[in-house]
Amino acid sequence: MNQRLPVALDLRGRRVLLVGAGQVAARKVGALIEAGAQVEVVAPSLDSHLENLLAEGSLVAHRRPFTPEDLAGAWLVYALTDSPDLNARVAELCDERGIWYLVGGASQESPLWSLAHRRQGDELVAVSGGGNPRRALALLNRIAGVLGWD
């Protein structure tokens, strides 16, 4: 049984760290920036979309491997590397420090899930697919269609 509580986070001015800078990070970053988060990325290299956002000044990036010191001041952390071991290490360090985190590709191991969401003016619809992002997106699209948000 899934015992998760859905919430909406106010990220304005809060430091959100992305460990990893590939396609998954590129998909997540837009919503974080739109929410007003101070987005910081640490990874040896950046996806081209992240490079563009860096050039625009929309985020801060450190082109190097992750170190535990990167967590200092983070309010929320996304572990999005292609290394399960590194993602697990980031999660462990976040747990020790009381920092909220999400592990990409391992939602059952994360204390927090991102919900598929869509805004229409002041209205917000968010859907969980039980840890399955494809199912969440399919549900969201069906709901948006019923609401006439196409």
Side-chain angles (χ1 to χ4, degrees), residues 41-57:
V41 177
V42 62
S45 62
L46 302 181
D47 171 276
S48 61
H49 178 65
L50 296 174
E51 286 282 3
N52 291 338
L53 292 172
L54 176 63
E56 294 171 3

Side-chain angles (χ1 to χ4, degrees), residues 6-16 31-39 74-76 78 100 112 119 124:
V7 297
L9 300 175
D10 182 353
L11 296 178
R12 290 174 296 178
R14 297 192 187 270
R15 182 170 176 255
V16 177
L32 294 169
I33 291 169
E34 184 180 313
Q38 294 177 345
V39 178
W75 195 80
L76 173 63
Y78 285 73
W100 288 104
L112 188 66
R119 292 181 195 282
L124 171 68

Side-chain angles (χ1 to χ4, degrees), residues 60 82 122:
V60 173
D82 57 4
D122 289 340

